Amino acid sequence: MMVLGTGIIKIVKRLVSIFLAIALLQGVFMAVQSQEIIDPIDRVVSAGLMNKDASGNFNAEGLVSRADLAMILVKTFGLERRKTAQKPDMELPDVPKSYWAYSAIQTVLKTGTMSGYRDGMFFPNQRVTRAEALAIFAQAYGVFQFPEPSISEILAKYPDAGDIPSWARKSMATALYEGFVNVDIATNKINPLKPMTRWDIAYALSKYLERQVRPTSLPVPAEQPPDRGVGR
């Protein structure tokens, strides 16, 4: 009887262990699932980084202008708190003080996050490409100082990486490594020369917000972590 009783106890303990393991796995799955189902648009709107219109529409396919990008970058990275943002305002023929994004444009120019054009023009309504927007986003975030071989290794995974302008390669490598780029699932293309949409920037912002809660692992095994340049 003692042997039988001991055998039953062992079986019960084993069953309890199995049930606990299953419950733990279910909990992990549900936690991961809940993390994944947060809509990027809802995330960035809740964070106050982007807005919906009066009708509640986000206009995901709308194109992003230089003024839009300036406003988003200032909100996201608190650029107005950087030392260089305290410099006197610049004279911009195409951005009067009454312009809706005047302050944000001044801030991105003074911090060097974005640059102007000839004759002091900013062209606030000009649409930006994905390469331009994502590279500038990475610059505001802080570009990893990858050595050239690492940049080439990261970009080699994408068939249209050759379309990235040379000035944007390091910044795009950072954006891609950090997961800020919504790569085409079917083709694995970056589409760097296509116009940046509100959905594209919402995706990048959402991934950035995730990084604040769950930092990414550092790149390139067996090497020192890359230096991520801090904003100006």
Side-chain angles (χ1 to χ4, degrees):
M1 291 294 293
M2 287 292 292
V3 173
L4 180 60
T6 302
I8 292 174
I9 291 172
K10 287 182 178 180
I11 292 171
V12 170
K13 285 183 175 179
R14 183 172 297 178
L15 289 172
V16 169
S17 298
I18 292 171
F19 287 137
L20 287 174
I22 291 172
L24 180 60
L25 288 172
Q26 286 180 331
V28 171
F29 174 76
M30 290 177 67
V32 171
Q33 191 177 47
S34 66
Q35 179 73 21
E36 291 176 347
I37 63 175
I38 298 176
D39 183 75
I41 292 173
D42 291 339
R43 189 194 297 272
V44 299
V45 170
S46 296
L49 302 181
M50 297 181 75
N51 300 310
K52 295 181 179 180
D53 63 23
S55 301
N57 298 317
F58 183 76
N59 189 23
E61 296 305 313
L63 302 183
V64 177
S65 69
R66 283 170 55 81
D68 294 328
L69 184 60
M71 182 66 78
I72 289 169
L73 293 175
V74 171
K75 286 183 180 180
T76 304
F77 299 104
L79 301 181
E80 75 282 356
R81 297 193 297 270
R82 297 183 180 177
K83 284 185 178 181
T84 51
Q86 312 312 314
K87 295 188 295 188
D89 285 356
M90 303 177 181
E91 189 69 30
L92 299 172
D94 59 345
V95 185
K97 289 187 177 181
S98 58
Y99 188 72
W100 66 273
Y102 174 84
S103 180
I105 290 170
Q106 287 288 340
T107 298
V108 295
L109 288 173
K110 288 187 283 188
T111 57
T113 308
M114 295 179 70
S115 301
Y117 288 90
R118 62 188 181 280
D119 302 322
M121 305 290 279
F122 185 78
F123 298 118
N125 298 319
Q126 179 174 297
R127 307 306 183 189
V128 290
T129 65
R130 282 167 53 86
E132 290 169 338
L134 291 164
I136 293 170
F137 186 91
Q139 288 166 12
Y141 171 72
V143 176
F144 284 142
Q145 298 306 305
F146 289 117
E148 183 57 37
S150 295
I151 295 172
S152 297
E153 181 180 351
I154 292 169
L155 298 182
K157 302 172 186 176
Y158 308 98
D160 57 347
D163 294 337
I164 299 172
S166 58
W167 65 266
R169 281 172 51 81
K170 186 180 290 186
S171 299
M172 280 296 293
T174 296
L176 287 160
Y177 183 82
E178 290 291 77
F180 298 151
V181 184
N182 53 330
V183 177
D184 188 311
I185 297 174
T187 64
N188 206 41
K189 288 186 176 181
I190 307 165
N191 297 312
L193 302 183
K194 284 189 175 182
M196 188 76 169
T197 66
R198 285 172 55 81
W199 164 249
D200 294 333
I201 195 68
Y203 182 93
L205 290 168
S206 179
K207 291 300 182 182
Y208 168 75
L209 292 173
E210 284 183 18
R211 291 290 178 273
Q212 309 315 297
V213 178
R214 186 183 56 195
T216 186
S217 58
L218 291 168
V220 192
E223 289 189 11
Q224 289 296 316
D227 174 27
R228 183 161 72 84
V230 181
R232 300 165 178 80

